[in-house]
């Protein structure tokens, strides 16, 4: 980077360098990093383009680009990611929130508005990670009682900070899937658990394979272990939740739908595609008037 470079020239140089390093979406990553380092976004970002690159930010910029070239996700370098219009801190202790998970939240909210006429609805987010699902539900439905669990204490610390930053109250629990909620009534169960088959992890994109937490990726031999365990753990509850919503991997929807159907607790099994048309979410829904015994 030359001393007289403009911000635009710094962007072009970084984009070219990242592309040569084989970085996915080099231009988008260069922009994300440049916005972060400059501290400007939207119209301000474009207004800064012809301006000289601030010399006091040069070492910080070069460090960010170097880390990105080595495969580190931009969100970890920046330390944040937006989800459903809300800001979330992300660290290597948690998965980076994906936009398709927003569709899971929307599907659960639609089902809940149809099933629950009012009263105290208790929703739980299992495998909460950075807390995106739990915090978003609590933000959009402030009358709900929202809880969240995760096996990782480090992830729960991140999630707790995100709840506080977004001004919501979440009951966080550490433990294996539904175990921390044994004996408690849950009306809604939502989960985006690990669903990558263990043998497939080595073939994932470098950013995911080498930087995102394996604990949040590994779904067992076929990727379906967490779903089977959660369905089995339903016996720990006084009654199964009226709504269950799962996110899953490509090609897993029919198996997870069959798992929920065989459990016999939800007369409605709904498969929700993502924006690419991939069957990404499965919901089990039971109207209030129908009661099922464990």
């Amino acid at each position: 980077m030359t001393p007289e470079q403009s911000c635009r020239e710094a962007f072009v140089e970084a984009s070219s360098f990242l592309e040569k390093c084989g970085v996915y979406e080099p231009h988008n990553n260069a922009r994300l990093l440049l916005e972060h380092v400059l501290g400007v976004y939207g119209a301000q970002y474009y207004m800064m383009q012809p301006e000289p690159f601030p010399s006091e930010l040069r070492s910080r910029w070069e460090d960010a680009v170097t880390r990105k070239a080595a495969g580190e996700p931009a969100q970890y370098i920046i330390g944040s990611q937006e989800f459903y219009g809300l800001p979330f801190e992300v660290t290597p202790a948690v998965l980076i929130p994906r936009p398709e998970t927003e569709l899971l939240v929307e599907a659960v909210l639609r089902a809940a508005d149809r099933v629950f006429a009012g009263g105290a609805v208790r929703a739980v987010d299992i495998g909460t990670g950075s807390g995106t699902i739990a915090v978003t539900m609590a933000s959009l439905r402030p009358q709900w009682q929202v809880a969240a669990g995760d096996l990782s204490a480090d992830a729960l610390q991140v999630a707790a900070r995100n709840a506080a930053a977004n001004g919501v109250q979440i009951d966080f629990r550490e433990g294996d899937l539904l175990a921390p909620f044994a004996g408690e009534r849950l009306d809604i169960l939502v989960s985006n658990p690990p669903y990558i088959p263990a043998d497939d992890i080595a073939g994932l994109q470098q950013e995911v394979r080498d930087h995102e937490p394996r604990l949040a990726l590994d779904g067992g031999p076929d990727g379906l272990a967490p779903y089977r365990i959660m369905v089995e753990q339903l016996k720990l509850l006084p009654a199964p939740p009226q709504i269950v919503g799962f996110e899953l991997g490509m090609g897993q929807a029919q198996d997870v739908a069959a798992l929920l159907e065989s459990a016999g607790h939800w007369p409605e099994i709904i498969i929700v595609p993502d924006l690419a048309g991939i069957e990404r979410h499965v919901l089990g829904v039971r109207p209030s008037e129908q009661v099922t015994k464990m």
Side-chain angles (χ1 to χ4, degrees):
M1 183 174 181
T2 62
E4 303 300 324
Q5 263 189 337
S6 68
C7 293
R8 170 66 182 171
E9 289 168 334
F11 165 77
V12 171
E13 182 182 68
S15 296
S16 177
F17 175 63
L18 293 178
E19 186 171 16
K20 290 177 182 177
C21 291
V23 171
Y24 179 66
E25 295 185 340
H27 304 291
N28 184 53
N29 276 287
R31 175 178 171 169
L32 286 173
L33 295 177
L34 186 55
E35 287 178 331
H36 172 65
V37 170
L38 294 176
V40 295
Y41 306 89
Q44 282 187 309
Y45 171 79
Y46 290 104
M47 291 174 64
M48 282 284 292
Q49 292 294 294
E51 299 295 322
F53 190 94
S55 59
E56 68 273 16
L57 298 178
R58 184 170 288 113
S59 61
R60 187 180 175 195
W61 168 241
E62 292 175 347
D63 176 67
V65 173
T66 299
R67 289 169 65 184
K68 180 66 249 178
E72 187 172 352
Q75 291 87 346
Y76 288 160
I77 300 171
I78 294 169
S80 65
Q81 171 65 34
E82 185 178 280
F83 182 88
Y84 218 96
L86 301 173
F88 286 87
E89 173 191 347
V90 292
T91 76
V94 300
L95 283 183
I96 297 166
R98 267 67 171 183
E100 55 265 27
T101 307
E102 296 179 356
L103 301 178
L104 173 61
V105 174
E106 291 179 352
V108 168
L109 294 180
R110 284 196 303 270
D113 290 344
R114 179 164 56 90
V115 169
F116 300 108
V121 175
R122 187 150 195 255
V124 65
D125 170 24
I126 298 299
T128 193
S130 60
T132 49
I133 293 176
V135 169
T136 303
M137 289 194 302
S139 298
L140 297 176
R141 297 292 185 273
Q143 71 275 24
W144 287 7
Q145 300 171 9
V146 180
D150 204 289
L151 192 58
S152 167
D154 291 338
L156 287 173
Q157 290 178 9
V158 176
R161 291 196 294 269
N162 282 323
N166 284 286
V168 297
Q169 295 290 324
I170 308 288
D171 177 11
F172 289 108
R173 310 277 185 91
E174 181 180 349
D176 187 16
L177 300 174
L178 292 178
F181 302 95
E184 300 181 21
R185 176 184 65 84
L186 302 176
D187 301 302
I188 298 173
L189 163 62
V190 189
S191 183
N192 179 16
Y195 55 69
I196 307 296
D199 290 344
D200 292 352
I201 292 177
L204 294 176
Q205 186 181 356
Q206 181 190 11
E207 289 191 1
V208 177
R209 181 191 67 229
D210 295 346
H211 295 276
E212 298 199 56
R214 187 181 179 103
L215 182 65
L217 296 172
D218 192 339
D222 62 357
L224 301 177
Y227 308 101
R228 296 192 187 98
I229 295 171
M230 280 188 278
V231 170
E232 176 65 20
Q233 286 181 328
L234 290 174
K235 65 186 179 183
L236 299 175
L237 309 177
Q242 287 183 245
I243 297 174
V244 171
F246 290 145
E247 181 162 321
L248 30 96
M250 185 183 298
Q252 296 176 335
Q254 297 302 322
D255 288 333
V256 174
L259 180 66
L260 294 186
E261 186 173 8
S262 65
H265 304 308
W266 305 280
E268 293 182 51
I269 305 296
I270 304 168
I271 296 177
V272 181
D274 63 18
L275 297 179
I278 298 169
E279 295 181 333
R280 182 65 65 183
H281 309 109
V282 172
L283 273 69
V285 180
R286 186 179 74 255
S288 296
E289 64 272 13
Q290 298 187 22
V291 179
T292 180
K293 296 182 179 180
M294 298 298 290

